[in-house]
Amino acid sequence: MMIWTLQIILGGAIMLDAPDTTIQRLRASELSERLAQTEAKRLQLELQIAKARHAIDALQGQPSGSSEVASELLRYKLVGIVATADKTHVVLRYGDELIRLLSGIAGPMELTAEVGPGRVRLKRFGHFRDLPLTERW
């Protein structure tokens, strides 16, 4: 009888241990799920930060259209200046083409040349480039 009681007690202990093990497994599962959710949120925040940095870098750099205008202004070469009593003409070379502009008046593609002391300023869409005047002009 004593053995049988011991088996019942041990069996009960095993049965009592089984729900605790199930609860522990559920807790461990819940903790691992929360950890996975936290990791997913961390990765989402890192992605948002990377996108924000990329957007900031793009805003700090010049937009592609404006850099094209700035690089185009670098290709103009000053050929000469012809001044009459009331007008000043600026002659530029762009590749194989000669372009004649009146000083201070927008020409083709909104290109403007303004003659100033010691320089000719080319302006287009808010960008400018100064071309120095040599002594012979």
Side-chain angles (χ1 to χ4, degrees):
M1 180 85 172
M2 184 76 132
I3 295 175
W4 184 71
T5 308
L6 186 58
Q7 287 178 344
I8 292 175
I9 292 173
L10 288 176
I14 293 171
M15 290 179 73
L16 289 175
D17 188 36
D20 286 340
T21 305
T22 306
I23 290 172
Q24 288 175 354
R25 282 190 220 143
L26 288 173
R27 285 183 181 163
S29 174
E30 184 180 347
L31 287 174
S32 65
E33 185 178 332
R34 286 186 183 178
L35 182 63
Q37 288 174 350
T38 303
E39 182 69 14
K41 287 180 183 178
R42 185 186 67 79
L43 290 174
Q44 283 178 332
L45 287 174
E46 283 184 12
L47 179 62
Q48 287 176 348
I49 290 169
K51 285 181 180 179
R53 284 184 182 154
H54 181 70
I56 289 170
D57 291 343
L59 288 174
Q60 286 177 347
Q62 293 181 347
S64 62
S66 63
S67 64
E68 289 176 17
V69 172
S71 66
E72 182 180 340
L73 287 177
L74 292 174
R75 289 185 246 155
Y76 286 97
K77 305 293 181 207
L78 182 62
V79 175
I81 296 175
V82 178
T84 60
D86 58 342
K87 296 179 185 176
T88 302
H89 298 269
V90 179
V91 181
L92 302 169
R93 178 179 301 277
Y94 184 80
D96 293 335
E97 298 178 43
L98 289 177
I99 299 169
R100 186 177 54 120
L101 300 171
L102 289 172
S103 180
I105 299 174
M109 298 296 291
E110 298 299 316
L111 181 65
T112 305
E114 296 175 350
V115 179
R119 66 165 172 77
V120 173
R121 175 167 282 183
L122 295 179
K123 293 195 299 188
R124 185 170 181 203
F125 302 126
H127 295 274
F128 69 91
R129 176 180 174 221
D130 289 335
L131 301 170
L133 291 176
T134 60
E135 291 179 20
R136 41 186 181 159
W137 285 328

